[in-house]
Structures are given as structure tokens and as C-alpha cells.
Amino acid sequence: MDLFEPKIIGFLCNWCSYEGVDSAGRSQMTYPHNFLPVKVMCSGRIDTQFILKAFSEGADGVIVFGCHLGECHYKDGNYHMMRRFALLKKLLSELAIKEERIQLEWISANEKDKFVMIISQMVEKIRGFGPLKISTKSNQHR
Amino acid sequence: MKRQITINPLTRLQGHGKISIFLDEGGNVERAYFQATELRGFEKFCEGRAVEEMPAITQKICGVCPTAHHTASSKALDRLFNVEPPIAAKKIRELLYNAFMFEDHLLHFYFLGGCDFIAGIDAPREKKNIFGVIEKLGIETGRKAIEIRKKVRDLSSRISGSPLYPLFGVAGGVSKPLKENDRNYMKQIISDALEFAVFTLKIFEDVFLKNKAYLEMITDDNYKLKTYYMGLVDQDNKLNFYDGVIRIIDPYGREFYKFEAGDYLNHLAELIVSWNYSKILYLKNKGWNGFVDGIESGIYRVGPLARLNVSDAMPTPLAQIEYEKMLNFLGGKPLHNAFAYHWARLIEVLYSAERMSELINDPEITSQYIRNIPSDIPSEGVGVCEAPRGILFHHYNSDGRGIIKNVNLLVATQNNYAAICMAVQKAASKYIKNGIISDGILNKIETAFRTYDPCIACATHMNLNEMPFSLCIFDKDNILIKEFME
Amino acid sequence: MEKPKIALYWCSSCGGCDASVIDIAEGILEIASNIDIVFWPIAMDFKYDDIEKMRDGEIYLSLINGSIQMDEHARIARLLRQKSRFIAAHGSCAHLGGIFGLANLYDTADILKHIYIKGISVKNQDSIQPNLIAGEDEQQLILPAFLDSVKPLNNMIGVDYYIPGCPPTPELVKSGILRIISEDIPPHGTVLTEKKALCDTCARKDSQPDKIHIDEFKRLFEFQWDESLCFLAQGLICLGPATRGGCLSRCINANMPCRGCFGPTDNTADYGAKTLSFLASLVQSRDKDEMEKIADSIPDIAGLLYRYCLPSSLLKDIIK
Ligand code: SF4
Ligand code: SF4
Ligand code: SF4
Ligand code: FES
């Protein structure tokens, strides 16, 4: 049987986190190919609708990277994300979607090891959950 | 041998309600079925909702009687939180409730079921609507009927925000008080309503009681069902729509049980049949003994006729006079003839107008103290009221945070369902003899069940009221031989 | 000139949308002189055959209310699409999937079991459930089948216009019909009411604070709120900022907060997600744990944000 390869969409803020991925790339560190990065200016700019859109287009998990709290280039963008994220987790869980399918991480430009580790762990976790969109109906938490 | 009946796909397009009749060898009716063909699942999808949202959610069960669901739901919340609404709040709720009963009953008389008789029982179908009614009674009356309904709806929206859907019910009261200027505005409307109610009863006397066909039907044993009756009464065993205890009488008119709403599970049970999405209610203490009437059967009826049968008297003077008139005319209680529903409905119109008038003149109704804030942890509550088509129960269980865990709904048409099936069967047997299907059978059968004003939306917590329905007749081999569609 | 032909039909509906047409009351005469109603099951006699026999596009406008829940709804909707020049989704159910769409949170088999077997007043030792082909003895009676989920109209057929609301106001139904039959036909896809959010025309708008600071969302049974102040200023959730205006502030007039029946304003992909962002913006917390507690003070966030529109959420195919 083929191993399920989850699709993970990552939203990365331009300033800290994208730097982090970039430097991971530059230093030839490998991170799972399941991960598709999307660059945004600031985590505060990630509309909740983008995240649902990612799921509806086939993502099995979504991860958002922002600057560490207090380090957002737009001052409070990451706090905004943090608040939305708390509500979104609750919403997904009420919709019978495992809240761990979304993840929020603060990361800075020089934390490339942390970045690679987070991604790899997320991939494994989602692999364990299985695909989000399944054709047979069931009431189990997905 | 089992035969597969193929029904023309068009038949399946007919939604909402369906009648199937099976004939025996001799071409006579063996069995007739009245089916509700849709289901919504309110009981299930209300699970997980916040309790305070229930009055707004459950009223979408039915666009014909949203006020009934909203009210039963608000009352269930009172009990769930164990909080008593202040007097003004109860009166405001009851005022709105009577306004709703008034216009809903009128709608039935002028626009729906009553059309059958006003236009003439043998009138062609295209005349059996408001236009036929206007033709018969004159444009003036038609206009008056439209106007008064509109006024009363305006009154309702002043109380509760929307003419279509009330929004004001909260645990322990209402969201908005009445003001002195509301009272003045409403007084005028209510006095017009009262006048119109009196006028309508006059029309009833002139048109119905002088209509040979109606007189025949209202006294025809074919339309009699000797069933139990159930309805709300106040502490003096008089009619009340909003509150009271539930009284059941037996087919001889003797009190069978009296109980509080919260006790309903001891008295009522639901039958499930494979051919119907609606559940069928019967008296638990009698059990289900099939589609038969009589003292040994658990079948009972609700709605206007049932309410007048279980009441000892009307609480308002004009309604009492009309009530006595009806009893004298038809020969005493309990009245078993289904066509007496029409008359009973109009007596209720009069009562509701008189009751509105009492309430609007009550000094307390404009008190600004309209709400008690609950202090108890929410747990369980049953709310009851008399919907136009009969008694309605909402029963909720919640967790300590006020999230719904379980919902049970018992709705007017479900109570009458068994009786409606029997009425259809009786009418069918009368008009199908030895394989000969008499003309206008659709019409006749429709008249037989329209008197109950069945609401399939309510029955299955789903679809519409005066639904188009289809009628299929099958021969002894269960082959479809005739079908009608409205 | 021939009057434009209009059809009205309902799918899975509570009847409230049809009542919104009946309640146009005297205004119906104004409309009736301009149009010719050829099909309206709730109020008039008709035959489905008559529709079948019509030329394609012969009906000028069909207003369809209710959500799509059963086979037969989909069929009639397709038939009307074929015969009609324009289709308008009438009411929240047709527009967004509506309140019955909450059933998509549950499995159909579970719903049936819950109602017919587990119901507390049900007596059903043999665990009977309604069958699609049922009957006692030889007599077989057909009940129509459910689709796999509740759907909005535009999931089944192309829709040209939307008249929002649960139900729409009679005024909107009337003006909507008049606009579509006018010379000046609105652009395809228009939601026929205001463009702006409810707050814009709300009488309480002036009391809506510029910066709202909520540290706990309050519930409707917890206190008696002021009759004239913005609900948000009082800690109660009101969905007015995210909801399209045009309802004449029905709930607000009843001193109750908005629950979003008019759906989103233009260019919104997911009403619930957008509303969620707005709710989050009301909070100023800078602490993750505190924020989670605040999130917990909203009961049933799914049922609140998607009360009328779950079947048109971006997540619709994932949920059911
Ligand atoms: S939109 Fe609302 S009023 Fe219209 S059918 Fe649906 S539930 Fe009823
Ligand atoms: S939030 Fe609600 S109460 Fe406040 S202005 Fe908007 S619609 Fe009005
Ligand atoms: S206030 Fe909101 S929920 Fe109420 S009618 Fe208007 S749009 Fe619908
Ligand atoms: S700029 Fe990185 S989170 Fe705002």
C-alpha cells in the first residue's frame, strides 16, 4: 500500500519566516516536499478565508508562520493572527475537523533548524490523521 | 407475489404529501395511505446549538406557524432555566400569540380550507381560492379580509420585530417591553379585529349554515370519528392558547387525564411506520390498536374542535355565546364530525380577538419589567402551547453550559395524523365503489383532510402546508390504475 | 405586449418564503398587473406537465426558494432552468443552503436513527424506519430519497439573481421581481438588495464604538441589555458588520442581535470565515491562553457563523 503523502500549505510572513525557509533552502537543508509555501507580507494579513480555501483545494493541513510576538514588522499583525487562530481552532473542531490540522508558529530568520523540524513533525502528524477529504461519510473527527 | 409498482416519474416530482389507495378484488377500498414525503431532521441538528438560539432556530420548522414554535421554544427555555417570566412578559407573549392565532385561522377560512364551502363545495377547482371567495362574498369582504390580516401582522411586528417571524422570546421573558403609544396604536387594530371576527361568524352563519352541502357534511356520520381529544385548558377548564394544563377527554366526553406539560412522556407515544416520514402520535395508556376510532383506540385529535371539546366553557363572553350556539346546533359535546373544525376555528377567532382586547387594556401589559434573568444552571425544559392546528410540545435537554444535548418535538399535525389517515380512508371508501371511481374524487378527499388544515411542514419538521399532493389508486394487484395530481 | 411569465417554486422550504410573497399584500396587485404567474404550487393550481410542455426559455423568471435536499427538488430545478430565461434564488435556503443546511453537520443515517429509533417518545421495538419503497403486505409505497447533503440552488443549476433573507422581506421580493422584469436588468449574479453591511443603516450605529474591547462574549440569557445601544458595545455578538443590509433591521428592532440571515456582502468567499475574522478583531488580548478562554465563551461557534449558510461554506465538501 502506498504511504499517504499529505499536502501541507504553509503561509509565511515575508519578514522573518520566509527568510527562515529561504535560508533553509540556501543551506541545502531538505524539508519534506509535501510542504507548499505561500508568501504573504505579514501573518496578520492571512485572512481566515485563505486557510479554508487551502483546505477546500485539497490541503490536509495548514501551517502559519509569523514573526515572534513583539517582532512583527507591522507591530501587531501576529497578535491579530493569534486571535483569529484561537477562534478558527474552535470552529474546525466543531465542524468535526481535527484542530491539529492547523498550526501556528513563530519563527525568526535564523531558526532554520526549528523550521525544518516543525514541518517534518507536522507532515508525520497529518500522515497519521489521513487525508482530510474522504469520500465515505463518517462522523469521526477527521 | 410481490409486484413492483412503477410510478410515473412525474408522480415522484410531486412533493410534500401523497395519497395512495389500494383496492381489493371487488374494486373497493382496501387501504388508503396519507404520506408525508419529506424530512428535515431538526431534532438532530439542534443538538450542539446554544439553548438561547432555539426560539429563533426552531421557528424555521414552519413558515405558517413560526409563532407557535417560537412560543413553545421560549417557554421550554423558561423551564430549562427554571425562571418565571414577569407578568408583563407573559401578557405580551400571549398578546402576540392571539394575534397570530387570529390571522392564521382567518387565513384558513378565507384563503384555504374555507374556500371549499364559501365558493361552493361543487365549484370548480379554479374557483376554490381567494378569488372565488371574493367573487362569492364581494370584493369589499375580500379586501377587508386582506386588510385586517395586514393590520394584525403590523401589530405583531411592532411587538416582535418581524411580521413573519417573531424574534423577541428569551428565557424568562421577552426582549422588548410595550410602550404607552404602542397600546394606543394597538387598541384601534384590535377593535377592528374584534369587529371583523363578529362579521366573519355572521358570514359563517349566512354561507355555511345555509349551505346544504356543508350541513350535510357536518351531520354526516361518514365524517365522524369517535376519538379522544386533547387540548390546553386554564384552571377553570376554559380555553387558553398560551398556557395551562393538558386535558384529555374520551370519546364520550368524560375527562380521561389531566397533566402538566412536563409529564407528557407518560401519556403520549409515537408510532413509526415504514411508509411515512411523519411519526404518528397516540395515547400511551391506550396503546396503538391500528387505524380505528372508539374508546379502545389510542387515537386522539387536537386542534380547534378538540380544544372546544375539552373546554367546559369559553373564557370570553362573545365566544361563549357562539360556543353555546354551536353546541345547541350540533347537539352537544363531544362533537365528532370533522367538518365542525371550521366552525370551531371561527369561534376561536372571536375568542382571540376578545382576548387581545382584554390584554391590551390590561394596565400591567406596559410594565417595563419584562424579564427575569435566570440564576439556575440550565438542564431540562418542556414548553407547550396550542398551535392553530393543535397542541405543540418542545422538549430540550442541555448541558450545564447551555448547549443542547437532546431535542424532542411533538407537533400538531402529528397528533392528528392517524385521524387524517382515517378520514382519507373513509372518504375514499365512500367515493370508490365496485371499481367505479366517482368524479371529483380528488376534490372530495382533499376536502376531507383539509378540514384538519394539516401541516406537513410541522409533521415532519420539514415541509409545507397546503401542499400540492398526488393521489394514486392501485388495483388488487397493486398496479397503478389512476393517478391525480393537484 | 405579452406580460412576462413568472414561476414560483419551493424545494425544501418552511413556507416562510412563500409567505413573503403572499405578504406583499396589496402590492401584489401592482405586480400582478405586470406579470403572469404560470406556476405557484402553494397558492394556485398547476400541472408539472404544463411546464414540461413549455418552450425553452418561455418562462421569463423563476423564483425558487428552499434548499435542495431531495432528488425531486433537483429535477424540478433543472426543468425550470431549462424553461426559464432567469432564475432567482429566493431566500437564504436557496441562496446559501439555509438553516436546514445545519443538517450537514450530521450523517443522514444518524439523523434517521435519532428521529425514528432513539426519539424519547418513540415506541418502536422493531426499529422500523421509513423506507424508500415501503408498504405493508404487498402494497408498496414510494417515499422520495434524500440527496447526500443539503445544497444551495446554485450547486444544482445556474442562478442569475439572489433575493436574500430568511425570509426576504416582502418589499425585497416585490422590488426584486420588478427590477428583473424592468428594462434595466441588473447584472448577472446580483444579490438584489443593499450592497453595504447591515450596520450601515442600523439605528444603533452611532453607539458602535470605534475600538471595541471584548474580554468575554456574553450570552443572551446572562443580562438584560440596553434597547438603544449597539450590541457589540454591550458584549453581545451581533453579526451586523459582516452581514448584508436590506432586512429593515428586523432583529435589531426586536431588540435582538443579527444572526446573519442576509448572508455576506459582495466578494466574500466564506461568510463564516469572514465573520470569524471580524469577531477576532473585537478582542484585544495579547495572551494565547487568555485568547483561548475568550474563544470558549462563544458557544457553538459553527452554528452561529454558519446558521444560514453551512452548505455554501468553502468547507462544504469536507464536512459532508
Ligand atoms: S429561507 Fe427561511 S423562510 Fe425561506 S424557506 Fe428557508 S427557512 Fe423558510
Ligand atoms: S453591530 Fe449590530 S447593533 Fe451594532 S451597529 Fe451593527 S447591526 Fe447595529
Ligand atoms: S438582523 Fe440579521 S438575522 Fe435579523 S433579519 Fe436582518 S439580516 Fe437577518
Ligand atoms: S511581519 Fe511577520 S508576522 Fe507581521
Side-chain angles (χ1 to χ4, degrees), chain B residues 1-5 7 9-10 12-16 18 20 22 30-31 33 35-45 47-53 56-57 60-64 81 125-126 146 149-150 153 160-162 164-165 167-171 174-177 179 264-265 268-279 282 284 370-371 373-374 395 401-403 406-408 410 457 462-464 466-468 474 478 485-486, chain C residues 9-20 22-23 25-26 41-43 45-49 52 67 69-73 75-76 79 99-103 105-106 110-112 114-124 128-146 166-170 219-225 227 249-251 253-256 259 296-300 302-304 307-308:
Chain B
M1 189 187 74
K2 258 208 158 66
R3 267 176 202 270
Q4 179 70 46
I5 303 157
I7 293 193
L10 265 183
R12 302 200 49 194
L13 295 179
Q14 319 293 310
H16 320 309
K18 188 166 150 190
S20 301
F22 293 87
E30 185 178 301
R31 186 71 202 275
Y33 295 89
Q35 295 170 275
T37 53
E38 286 205 359
L39 172 81
R40 283 290 166 56
F42 266 89
E43 283 105 328
K44 184 69 187 176
F45 73 66
E47 250 177 62
R49 309 285 75 81
V51 289
E52 64 270 33
E53 303 291 335
I57 294 175
K60 308 288 158 126
I61 288 172
C62 176
V64 177
F81 282 102
R125 292 201 54 76
E126 59 274 16
I146 292 174
R149 275 196 76 234
K150 185 170 183 312
R153 290 211 145 197
S160 76
S162 156
L164 293 161
Y165 286 99
L167 298 153
F168 72 151
V170 287
V174 292
S175 60
K176 215 178 106 178
K179 309 267 156 58
Y264 78 101
L265 284 173
L268 305 174
E270 290 173 301
L271 170 79
I272 313 298
V273 289
S274 57
W275 45 270
N276 194 357
Y277 283 127
S278 176
K279 304 193 267 192
Y282 61 93
K284 199 171 178 181
I370 42 140
R371 206 174 156 189
I373 301 302
H395 180 182
R401 284 186 67 222
I403 301 293
N406 202 8
V407 169
N408 199 34
L410 302 187
M462 49 119 265
N463 220 289
L464 240 220
E466 297 297 329
M467 62 292 184
F474 301 92
N478 301 325
M485 301 174 219
E486 190 186 338
Chain C
Y9 179 70
W10 79 101
C11 301
S12 215
S13 152
C14 76
C17 279
D18 285 288
S20 74
I22 294 172
D23 276 35
E26 64 266 43
I42 185 184
D45 277 350
F46 67 91
K47 291 259 190 297
Y48 287 97
D49 299 21
E52 294 264 359
S67 33
Q69 194 196 7
M70 328 264 315
D71 253 4
E72 59 184 75
H73 302 145
R75 273 146 110 169
I76 300 257
L79 177 66
I99 199 155
F100 318 126
L102 289 173
L105 289 171
Y106 299 94
D110 282 350
I111 294 177
L112 293 172
H114 181 86
I115 291 176
Y116 299 110
I117 296 175
K118 295 206 270 186
I120 51 175
S121 40
V122 164
K123 274 214 147 186
N124 188 2
I128 294 170
Q129 286 190 40
N131 290 327
L132 297 186
I133 294 182
E136 293 170 2
D137 312 324
E138 304 268 289
Q139 297 161 350
Q140 299 189 15
L141 300 159
I142 293 184
L143 286 173
F146 295 98
C166 181
T169 63
R219 294 185 59 181
L220 294 172
F221 54 77
E222 290 174 348
F223 69 112
Q224 175 64 26
W225 49 89
E227 240 192 279
S249 304
R250 288 186 294 210
C251 300
N253 289 341
N255 196 22
M256 294 293 270
R259 288 298 179 250
D296 278 339
S297 71
I298 307 178
D300 182 29
L304 177 73
R307 168 84 64 84
Y308 296 98

Side-chain angles (χ1 to χ4, degrees), chain C residues 261-296:
Chain C
C261 78
F262 266 54
T265 47
D266 288 343
N267 303 320
T268 306
D270 189 291
Y271 176 82
K274 185 176 166 194
T275 312
L276 183 146
S277 299
F278 135 70
L279 286 179
S281 74
L282 302 175
V283 182
Q284 312 298 320
S285 169
R286 299 177 81 82
D287 178 80
K288 181 165 164 281
D289 295 340
E290 184 192 41
M291 188 56 219
E292 283 180 358
K293 269 210 358 241
I294 295 172
D296 278 339

Side-chain angles (χ1 to χ4, degrees), chain A residues 48-49 83 90 94 139 142, chain C residues 110 269 277 285 298 301-302 318:
Chain A
T48 323
Q49 297 184 80
R83 294 175 197 132
K90 211 180 154 221
E94 285 182 12
N139 267 358
R142 288 191 269 269
Chain C
D110 282 350
S277 299
S285 169
I298 307 178
I301 191 166
I318 295 165

Side-chain angles (χ1 to χ4, degrees), chain B residues 76-323:
Chain B
L77 291 190
D78 297 343
R79 299 276 52 85
L80 185 108
F81 282 102
N82 193 21
V83 59
E84 196 64 21
I87 294 171
K90 288 192 193 170
K91 291 192 166 152
I92 294 171
R93 285 187 191 172
E94 192 182 347
L95 175 64
L96 179 84
Y97 204 76
N98 278 280
F100 155 67
M101 291 294 272
F102 177 88
E103 55 104 351
D104 191 90
H105 275 2
L106 281 185
L107 178 75
H108 185 269
F109 183 72
Y110 285 104
F111 297 71
L112 307 170
C115 301
D116 288 349
F117 298 97
I118 301 176
I121 188 84
D122 292 319
R125 292 201 54 76
E126 59 274 16
K127 297 271 182 214
K128 291 188 174 182
N129 53 37
I130 178 70
F131 303 109
V133 169
I134 289 177
E135 208 177 295
K136 188 83 184 234
L137 299 179
I139 181 84
E140 233 359 85
T141 307
R143 181 168 294 145
K144 261 188 177 168
I146 292 174
E147 239 172 55
I148 193 73
R149 275 196 76 234
K150 185 170 183 312
K151 280 193 199 162
V152 172
R153 290 211 145 197
D154 285 348
L155 175 148
S156 305
S157 70
R158 185 104 165 216
I159 301 175
S160 76
S162 156
L164 293 161
Y165 286 99
L167 298 153
F168 72 151
V170 287
V174 292
S175 60
K176 215 178 106 178
L178 283 190
K179 309 267 156 58
E180 243 354 281
N181 62 350
D182 293 324
R183 190 208 303 272
N184 296 332
Y185 159 83
M186 290 174 188
K187 263 187 176 166
Q188 187 53 47
I189 293 179
I190 291 170
S191 96
D192 293 350
L194 186 53
E195 196 180 302
F196 190 76
V198 172
F199 170 75
T200 301
L201 270 150
K202 180 89 178 50
I203 290 189
F204 180 81
E205 272 182 36
D206 290 350
V207 177
F208 277 59
L209 296 185
K210 291 185 185 135
N211 177 321
K212 235 182 85 224
Y214 181 71
L215 283 182
E216 261 167 35
M217 287 171 113
I218 205 173
T219 47
D220 186 339
D221 279 354
N222 260 304
Y223 298 110
K224 266 190 187 163
L225 289 177
K226 296 197 174 76
T227 63
Y228 287 78
Y229 296 93
M230 185 170 92
L232 272 186
V233 291
D234 68 10
Q235 69 275 16
D236 303 321
N237 286 336
K238 290 182 178 170
L239 180 70
N240 194 292
F241 297 145
Y242 172 73
D243 209 3
V245 289
I246 295 142
R247 191 181 198 204
I248 303 176
I249 60 159
D250 73 12
Y252 301 106
R254 300 169 302 203
E255 184 173 299
F256 179 63
Y257 271 114
K258 214 170 173 177
F259 60 93
E260 299 282 341
D263 263 352
Y264 78 101
L265 284 173
N266 292 327
H267 299 275
L268 305 174
E270 290 173 301
L271 170 79
I272 313 298
V273 289
S274 57
W275 45 270
N276 194 357
Y277 283 127
S278 176
K279 304 193 267 192
I280 300 175
L281 277 163
Y282 61 93
L283 298 175
K284 199 171 178 181
N285 298 315
K286 280 283 152 191
W288 176 254
N289 297 311
F291 289 95
V292 289
D293 58 355
I295 191 120
E296 290 313 323
S297 165
I299 293 181
Y300 65 95
R301 285 187 281 176
V302 300
L305 182 65
R307 288 191 284 255
L308 301 203
N309 274 335
V310 301
S311 300
D312 289 347
M314 296 295 104
T316 53
L318 297 178
Q320 175 64 19
I321 294 173
E322 294 297 326
Y323 178 65

